[in-house]
Amino acid sequence: MTVVRATVSLTAPVGLHARPAVKLTRLAKRFPARVRLRPLPDGDPVDAKSIVRVMGLKLRTGTTLEFEAEGERAAEAVEALCALVAANFEDGEHG
Amino acid sequence: MAERRHAGRPAAPGVVVGPLVVWRPANAGKAARAEGGGEVRRLAAACAAVRRDLLVLGDQGDRLAAEVLEFQREFLADPEFLGAVEEAMGRGVSAAVAVREVLDGHIAQFRAEEDEYFRARGEDLADLRDHLLATLDGRRDPPPALPEGAVVVASELTPSRFLALDRRRLGGVALEGGSVSGHVAMLARARGLPMVVGLGRVAAAAGEAALDGDEGLLVLDPSPRTRARMAARRRSLEEERRSLPARSAGGYRTADGERVEIRINVEDPAALDEEAVRFADGAGLVRTEFLFLGRPELPDEERQYRTYRDLLARFAGKPVRLRTLDIGGDKPLPGITEEEANPFLGLRGIRLGLARPRLLETQLRAMLRAARHGPLEIMLPMVTLPAELEAVRAMLGRLREELASGGEPVPLPPLGMMVEVPAAALDLERFSADFFSIGSNDLVQYVMAAARDAAGPVAELLDPLHPAVLRLVAEVVQVGARRNVPVSLCGEMAGDPAALERLLALGLRSISVAPSALARAAAVIGRFGAEDHGGRS
């Protein structure tokens, strides 16, 4: 199965804190594909659907993130997640 | 009965008088023993119950409440978390022991973070832990029934416990412990609910209470006079806050249309009121001491840089005036400041900075680097001689060259000074600062020869409206106007309506006040000039 990857820069002024992290994991969970998130250049990839893992990265502003998805609708998942980060989490899922 | 006063720290502005309700929820007890195969089921049931609770608590119409609890809900739904708990239970411990073990691990990790936002996640998870443990214990800890306008006293409050209180009847929150930067304080500020923390033990069970979230004061059994004063203040505060957005639109102006800049003083960004940030013209005084005091180690350049940069981002293009470390005097820093018989007249402010240049250089480098991200201004405290200002200017030039040759070109931000030493105020022509900011608290202390922390008859000398003080202020304003150097005032004086009117009459057109005083200052300015005030230049 093909693996889809894309990178995006985290520019939200306070890094990846609780509210954006929840938006990110909830968006990732909408896709059946396995989605992983890795801080470049040398971070370990973690499950992008796990708030425990995503918050555990304690990502700061300026970090470049790599999303990697594998499985059904993988390309769509990567595209949506990168768009969410690029938009500073402004128009993600609400609720 | 005589009224009793408890002093604490202001956490959310506003005043309220109402019936006192003391809430002392039971702490999570000892973990129950394992009940064999039923433990996994018990855990699942408790998680489901807590998730329902959080959903209900978060659904109160304000976005912030939902946001604060969303993280807890998402955590609870994470198979990673449940997996870790079940794995611990597999070793034969009870669900409660396992929950505590797993969450305590995460809490410790977040609490060790330097970043305030991440540290706050530790508080969220402690909330979740206590909630889960109480549920597993079968203790649902219902909140007390509140009478109308209740002032709730507790030792601490978690966000979920705060949100469980009946918001239509809650008048104010007074905590014996607590923090000004925690989620509960944030929620209280967002709701316009007065809150005071750090009161120490409050020995009372019932009665009336007056709570002053601007001054950080709880008064038990307030006298008729205190009650009347608080009620009147509450009415005018409400009116002032309602009119703030309209007043700020297009810039704050006097009744005859003159623009007056109102910035806010920042004690600690973590405790900063979002509404004040939105409606202020910028930060007029950032007391960078918050980075240094009460911390196990001094902040390095990177830490400072990130803090300044984030602050600029929060003010979103509005100017942010950072004051270099102002320790000494009444703010000792162990290992840095020295024991002095007369600390207010000793090695403090920029004197200390120049005597310990490495500390100052680290801070200036961080500020220079942050200046790439927005309109940052550097302000020096306790400047007495022009040579002190020039020494820092030279230092900035050198640091900037170093950064540039290291491949990091940075702009040169405006360098200004506090005017708080009478010698500087009287000799201002000789200072080539990019701006002046009158530090009225210290200026009054030095002009009146009365210590800021004095009590009794000496405290009565601390009069910002004394003619000698006003003459100096007028002189600074005139020098600024003549030389085209911006002049502001960033002491408590500007937050006092009567004093502010005098300052406006002296021609001052820029102030910086505590966030809680913003709405009041805007109202005073809006009225100014409506009648004949006379004496204005």
Side-chain angles (χ1 to χ4, degrees):
Chain A
M1 196 165 293
T2 51
V3 176
V4 184
R5 285 196 192 86
T7 61
V8 62
S9 176
L10 181 63
T11 54
V14 287
L16 194 56
H17 290 129
R19 169 81 174 158
V22 168
K23 280 188 177 180
L24 191 148
T25 53
R26 290 198 178 158
L27 180 59
K29 280 192 269 192
R30 286 203 209 156
F31 297 95
R34 193 182 74 141
V35 188
R36 313 225 290 171
L37 164 66
R38 184 163 83 96
L40 295 179
D42 50 11
D44 293 321
V46 304
D47 180 358
K49 297 180 184 183
S50 164
I51 190 75
V52 174
R53 297 291 178 179
V54 172
M55 276 303 280
L57 291 174
K58 304 197 180 79
L59 296 172
R60 299 186 190 287
T61 312
T63 310
T64 302
L65 307 178
E66 182 189 74
F67 287 101
E68 177 195 287
E70 188 177 0
E72 205 180 324
R73 295 168 61 201
E76 205 187 326
V78 165
E79 191 187 335
L81 287 162
C82 284
L84 177 73
V85 176
N88 280 349
F89 303 90
E90 285 303 326
D91 44 23
E93 178 188 11
H94 288 275
Chain B
M1 196 189 313
E3 62 178 36
R4 280 168 297 151
R5 293 174 163 245
H6 290 265
R9 284 188 299 150
V15 292
V16 65
V17 181
L20 177 75
V21 174
V22 180
W23 188 19
R24 301 205 181 279
N27 283 322
K30 292 222 169 59
R33 64 193 162 74
E35 287 175 14
E39 281 298 277
V40 173
R41 212 169 49 241
R42 259 171 29 89
L43 174 70
C47 287
V50 171
R51 286 190 72 188
R52 271 198 309 277
D53 282 358
L54 293 173
L55 200 59
V56 172
L57 290 172
D59 185 22
Q60 301 191 18
D62 51 351
R63 210 180 106 224
L64 190 61
E67 283 179 22
V68 164
L69 298 183
E70 232 168 29
F71 173 61
Q72 294 188 37
R73 278 180 52 219
E74 189 73 5
F75 208 94
L76 206 45
D78 193 334
E80 287 276 350
F81 164 66
L82 289 174
V85 174
E86 280 169 14
E87 193 186 308
M89 286 164 67
R91 297 197 311 266
V93 303
S94 70
V97 168
V99 162
R100 183 182 287 281
E101 187 183 301
V102 170
L103 280 174
D104 279 352
H106 289 291
I107 292 165
Q109 269 186 34
F110 282 115
R111 283 192 175 153
E113 283 293 305
E114 63 175 38
D115 185 322
E116 192 76 40
Y117 288 88
F118 285 121
R119 281 211 303 271
R121 298 290 84 71
E123 304 318 306
D124 288 342
L125 294 182
D127 186 7
L128 179 62
R129 177 196 61 197
D130 295 349
H131 199 159
L132 259 177
L133 290 178
T135 307
L136 276 168
D137 247 15
R139 294 178 291 106
R140 300 293 291 164
D141 247 347
L146 300 183
E148 193 66 39
V151 174
V152 171
V153 172
S155 67
E156 307 265 348
L157 272 187
T158 61
S160 65
R161 278 186 174 143
F162 170 79
L163 288 169
L165 290 164
D166 181 351
R167 75 176 292 188
R168 287 160 309 158
R169 291 167 175 273
L170 183 61
V173 174
L175 298 185
E176 296 172 329
S179 125
V180 296
S181 58
H183 267 151
V184 173
M186 238 168 78
L187 287 163
R189 287 194 290 269
R191 290 183 169 187
L193 197 71
M195 176 167 159
V196 176
V197 300
L199 286 160
R201 176 81 186 169
V202 176
E208 282 274 298
L211 187 69
D212 185 332
D214 296 318
E215 302 290 328
L217 190 67
L218 173 72
V219 186
L220 300 177
D221 302 312
S223 68
R225 199 163 149 259
T226 300
R227 297 159 62 116
R229 218 176 40 232
M230 292 266 200
R233 258 188 63 208
R234 185 184 173 89
R235 279 193 303 275
S236 61
L237 278 173
E238 278 169 1
E239 167 52 31
E240 286 157 10
R241 286 196 179 117
R242 258 198 310 277
S243 58
L244 185 62
R247 289 186 195 285
S248 80
Y252 297 104
R253 291 182 188 278
T254 61
D256 40 21
E258 264 192 86
R259 177 81 168 92
V260 178
E261 180 187 56
I262 315 179
R263 298 199 200 179
I264 52 173
N265 300 340
V266 179
E267 295 277 348
D268 181 347
L272 199 51
D273 181 9
E274 278 311 319
E275 188 167 282
V277 172
R278 186 158 71 242
F279 291 118
D281 289 319
L285 165 63
V286 178
R287 298 187 163 100
T288 59
E289 295 79 64
F290 74 87
L291 276 161
F292 294 80
L293 299 173
R295 306 236 177 215
E297 52 192 40
L298 295 177
D300 61 9
E301 180 187 320
E302 193 58 28
R303 165 95 211 273
Q304 293 190 50
Y305 159 70
R306 284 203 302 263
T307 304
Y308 305 149
R309 183 199 60 194
D310 290 350
L311 201 54
L312 282 162
R314 281 184 74 182
F315 276 88
K318 295 192 276 200
V320 172
R321 187 170 285 179
L322 301 175
R323 183 176 68 184
T324 60
L325 188 57
D326 186 17
I327 52 171
D330 55 344
K331 289 169 289 192
L333 184 60
I336 303 290
T337 53
E338 291 168 15
E339 291 257 346
E340 294 171 295
N342 236 332
F344 280 122
L345 303 180
L347 193 60
R348 55 168 295 201
I350 198 60
R351 301 170 182 179
L352 187 70
L354 292 169
R356 305 282 179 92
R358 282 187 53 192
L359 201 63
L360 180 62
E361 277 179 11
T362 303
Q363 186 167 38
L364 292 176
R365 269 179 68 100
M367 288 179 179
L368 281 172
R369 290 175 54 208
R372 285 179 306 162
H373 301 282
L376 180 153
E377 303 166 351
I378 300 176
M379 177 159 72
L380 307 179
M382 277 297 282
V383 175
T384 311
L385 302 172
E388 292 164 339
L389 184 68
E390 291 321 309
V392 175
R393 201 180 283 286
M395 200 184 266
L396 276 175
R398 186 164 46 74
L399 292 170
R400 196 161 157 254
E401 269 170 37
E402 275 174 28
L403 284 166
S405 61
E408 197 175 355
V410 295
L412 185 61
L415 174 68
M417 60 184 265
M418 302 272 296
V419 182
E420 49 194 344
V421 178
L426 288 163
D427 191 29
L428 211 55
E429 294 279 7
R430 292 205 300 133
F431 291 83
S432 59
D434 298 321
F435 59 86
F436 298 120
S437 186
I438 300 166
S440 60
N441 302 358
D442 272 327
L443 186 65
V444 172
Q445 134 169 299
Y446 294 128
V447 169
M448 303 305 293
R452 283 167 65 159
D453 51 4
V458 177
E460 284 167 30
L461 291 170
L462 285 167
D463 176 13
L465 297 179
H466 187 280
V469 176
L470 292 177
R471 249 170 74 183
L472 279 180
V473 171
E475 177 147 339
V476 174
V477 170
Q478 283 158 22
V479 170
R482 195 157 61 236
R483 291 184 32 203
N484 208 17
V485 177
V487 174
S488 186
L489 185 144
C490 62
E492 278 159 31
M493 190 176 177
D496 176 71
L500 177 53
E501 282 184 12
R502 298 295 291 272
L503 294 170
L504 292 167
L506 292 173
L508 190 74
R509 290 294 177 268
S510 170
I511 57 170
S512 188
V513 296
S516 62
L518 175 65
R520 161 144 303 180
V524 171
I525 288 165
R527 282 195 300 270
F528 182 80
E531 300 132 44
D532 181 26
H533 280 263
R536 274 195 298 146
S537 50

